[in-house]
Amino acid sequence: MKYKSQKVAYWFFALSLLLLTLQIVYGFVMGFARVGMDGLHEFVPFNTARAVHTNLLVVWLLSGFMGAAYYIIPEEAQRELVSVKLAYVQLITLALVGVVAIIGFHFNIWEGRKFLEIPRPLDYLVVINVLLFLGIILVTLFKGKRRTTTALVLSMGLFFAALLYLPGMITFDSQTMDSFFRWWVVHLWVEGVWELIMGGILSFLLIKLTGVDREVIEKWLYVIVGLTFLSGVLGTGHHYYYIGVNKIWIIVGGIFSALEPLAFLAMALFAVNMYRKGEKKHPNKLALYWTLGAAIVSFVGAGLLGFAHTLPQTNIYTHGTLVTAMHGHLAFWGAYAMIVFAIISYSLPNMTGRKLYESAIGRAAFWLSNIGMVGMTVAFGVAGVVQVYMERKLKMNFMEVQQEIEIHFIVLIICATIFATGITLFIIDFIKHGTPTDEALESNN
Amino acid sequence: MLSKKQARAFFLIGTLVTFLVFIGLTVYSLSEGNDQTNKENLTAEVVRGKEIWESNNCMGCHTILGEGAYYAPELTKVIDRRGEGYIKAILMSPVPWQPNGRKMVAYGMTEAEATDVISFFKWIGEIDLNGFERIVSPLAKDRFNN
């Protein structure tokens, strides 16, 4: 750690892990409901658990990205954050908005629009919160001694993520229009600007961990984010195939979605090549595991599984089935959860001064969570493919099919338990590092 | 070999061009002549039905136009499949509806509310979904073929 104000990142990461824990709890509520154990139905019906599960995902990832930015930007800009106090205000208000929204979901207070269930008054607070965050980051960057590509790409990602929240706040009478612009937020976030954030964090980590020249890494960063936008923006079309808009999207979405794996492939090759090329072997192996893991798993989860699901000829059958859940889980885990874990693993020893690089708990956390998530993806995938075949080919009734695929949800729960064990170990490792201290300033890398 | 400057130009120009094409396609596909949703049939009842649909987060269990959660049936062609009476009974039921043991929240809607939701489903059921409407609902598909 080079600047005192970087310590604020720790609390954003702590909030992230707390919300992730809650997300997993609600995931289990849904898993058990699917095998008939829905004793909580009266207090936490499936739609509540589902809204909590997905919204917590968004909030904990955003909190992780914000923490990453508060850690990375001072080092890149070579100065302290302009206001640590405001950063704490931003943290507390972010947590409050998240908690209030989640409590509201238990009392039927929501918008009922997939991923964007947060009710309107809270939307405005989210906007104010994010503006405050952006203000702190951009002013720090502006006043900084240098402006790097890494910092620029990361900030651009965060800025456009904030901007793209706005189309989700427009109301429409038509479900089709509603859906159309909802994807401007959700798709252009996860398959667009969030990848800028991921690329920025990845680039920072590779510079630190491999010692490869910044100019080389940042050049490839431009190529990758260029490929991301080139394929991802028009790839939005894969959400428009079958919602009641023109067929042009089947052609455009089909072609550009097929190109989307290229951006992820480039990212995976880039990370692995930089690692091979690097002469400096940073002792923080765990951070390296998570960094390379993010690049590789995101290629499989977001790139390959996404490609399999978004071909129009396939999607006409898989649209609106558990196949989506299969792709969604591995994609979010690989691309975003793992990169947040990577920056946590890298920055934590630097902020706390406790260099627990050879932690067996940390390694077990990596392997168990990954094995668990791959198992969950397979369980969702098998359930999804069987559902497609029975419901859409054999014309069986929805609930009959659900009973046939129940067994896969038992497998899902077992794999989710392995996953949750991995996450618990990660959190134990996080706690073992203790809290950040100014004494860690001397031991920077 | 590619320079950093060229890489930046690739990123900036590529992004700008794709965004412009995306906006152009959006304008084109949402233009009057390309409406596949029968916009003129969006009555006050349909809009109220959509509000009820959203305020209860029905998408948190069901799917509609193939979007939502996957815990309860797709409702795009539900009126075709089940008929109005069945749907109304579920929406107005004061106790949880539980086909094959899977529970739905008991909304206990009034007759007027249930009618609005049904109007919304009817409007949804008429949308041209580029062929998906024939895949999504097995029974509706049979009717199409007959």
Side-chain angles (χ1 to χ4, degrees), chain A residues 91-161:
Chain A
L91 169 77
I92 293 164
T93 48
L94 177 75
L96 276 178
V97 170
V99 169
V100 170
I102 283 153
I103 293 173
F105 291 167
H106 292 74
F107 296 96
N108 218 21
I109 303 170
W110 41 23
E111 270 189 28
R113 298 156 72 230
K114 193 177 173 182
F115 300 119
L116 304 178
E117 285 91 347
I118 294 182
R120 191 51 46 94
L122 289 181
D123 275 343
Y124 295 116
L125 291 179
V126 171
V127 171
I128 294 170
N129 187 274
V130 173
L131 285 178
L132 178 59
F133 163 74
L134 281 174
I136 298 168
I137 292 297
L138 295 178
V139 173
T140 304
L141 204 59
F142 184 72
K143 287 187 170 175
K145 291 193 187 101
R146 62 171 185 180
R147 278 164 219 157
T148 65
T149 302
T150 302
L152 194 73
V153 168
L154 179 63
S155 309
M156 260 179 85
L158 293 161
F159 176 76
F160 282 114

Side-chain angles (χ1 to χ4, degrees), chain A residues 210-213 216-217 219-220 270-281:
Chain A
T210 67
V212 172
D213 185 48
V216 176
I217 288 186
K219 177 178 82 180
W220 290 109
F270 160 66
V272 173
N273 276 331
M274 292 304 128
Y275 165 65
R276 285 205 180 139
K277 212 172 159 176
E279 285 163 10
K280 175 175 143 193
K281 293 290 174 224

Side-chain angles (χ1 to χ4, degrees), chain B residues 78-93 97 111 114-115 118 121-122:
Chain B
V78 72
I79 304 293
D80 256 21
R81 280 207 317 274
R82 297 293 194 183
E84 284 183 36
Y86 183 87
I87 306 299
K88 206 176 251 182
I90 296 176
L91 293 174
M92 294 173 67
S93 168
W97 192 264
E111 172 127 26
T115 309
I118 286 170
F121 287 152
K122 279 185 179 166

Side-chain angles (χ1 to χ4, degrees), chain B residues 6-62:
Chain B
Q6 287 168 324
R8 187 170 53 212
F10 165 72
F11 163 59
L12 291 175
I13 295 170
T15 303
L16 187 70
V17 170
T18 46
F19 260 110
L20 288 177
V21 174
F22 181 63
I23 302 286
L25 283 172
T26 298
V27 171
Y28 168 76
S29 67
L30 299 182
S31 60
E32 282 301 318
N34 283 325
D35 177 42
Q36 299 182 187
T37 64
N38 309 306
K39 264 194 289 195
E40 64 283 3
N41 297 340
L42 272 173
T43 58
E45 293 86 62
V46 176
V47 175
R48 279 201 302 269
K50 179 175 178 275
E51 280 163 14
I52 295 171
W53 167 264
E54 284 176 355
S55 62
N56 291 303
N57 192 20
C58 304
M59 244 188 178
C61 293
H62 292 276

